[in-house]
Amino acid sequence: MNRLAQETSPYLLQHAANPVDWYPWGAEALERSRAEDRPILLSIGYAACHWCHVMEHESFEDASTAALMNEHFVCVKVDREERPDLDAVYMDAVVALTGGGGWPMTVFLTPDGKPFFGGTYYPPEPRHGLPSFGQVLRGRNAAARSSRRAPSSQATSRSARASTRRASR
């Protein structure tokens, strides 16, 4: 059940009919992630973003991609224009993890909100040196499962600590 239909943001409303089980940022999504010990797939963008529309059409409107997202993640959609605070926190994390950033921003978080992977646009098929979004989803699901058994890397831990401090302000 997609929970964006009652939102006021044009960007969130644009995603209200997606087959992705989107949550807006808030306690309900965070509690579900913790209760089910499932990572959060955080997608941040804005209504006037060209690549945000492209990724929506290629991935978020695709039933098989949505099924993969819904099965393994608690999916959260954020409008960067309504939540510049969250955008800044997680953009800092993506830049720290990858060396670059932009929108649409895709960040994978532990149930306590710590980023463990992130990036920007991912195509539906591998191209231009980028993995497909499906490959990213399967890889992050595997990483989340293995991280429950092993400690995370120091770089991810540093980024997560910095992001958590900023997000809690």
Side-chain angles (χ1 to χ4, degrees):
M1 174 179 113
N2 185 319
R3 292 156 182 83
L4 300 181
Q6 302 304 313
E7 295 299 310
T8 58
S9 156
Y11 181 66
L12 297 184
L13 290 171
Q14 164 188 322
H15 293 273
N18 294 163
V20 176
D21 186 11
W22 289 120
Y23 284 81
W25 180 268
E28 184 181 7
L30 301 173
E31 288 169 14
R32 179 177 175 206
S33 176
R34 283 190 290 272
E36 297 179 9
D37 194 28
R38 290 172 62 189
I40 295 168
L41 186 164
L42 176 63
S43 177
I44 302 177
Y46 58 106
C49 169
H50 170 75
W51 288 106
C52 297
H53 290 282
V54 171
M55 192 161 175
E56 177 189 18
H57 177 68
E58 292 176 344
S59 297
F60 305 147
E61 292 176 353
D62 178 70
S64 61
T65 302
L68 189 59
M69 293 169 69
N70 295 338
E71 179 180 355
H72 298 293
F73 304 96
V74 174
C75 302
V76 177
K77 181 59 84 173
V78 169
D79 182 339
R80 72 177 287 264
E81 293 178 324
E82 285 195 344
R83 293 300 308 264
D85 56 327
L86 292 173
D87 180 61
V89 166
Y90 291 109
M91 183 61 73
D92 286 350
V94 168
V95 170
L97 291 167
T98 68
W103 300 275
M105 182 178 14
T106 304
V107 191
F108 295 85
L109 313 174
T110 61
D112 59 354
K114 295 178 180 143
F116 64 91
F117 185 83
T120 58
Y121 166 78
Y122 293 103
E125 301 297 328
R127 64 175 175 243
H128 306 296
L130 294 172
S132 72
F133 192 49
Q135 289 172 314
V136 171
L137 293 171
R138 286 185 287 281
R140 294 312 92 204
N141 176 52
R145 282 187 284 121
S146 70
S147 73
R148 292 181 187 116
R149 294 185 294 268
S152 61
S153 74
Q154 289 182 350
T156 300
S157 295
R158 279 193 304 273
S159 173
R161 282 193 302 273
S163 296
T164 302
R165 279 194 302 271
R166 287 192 59 190
S168 65
R169 286 190 229 162

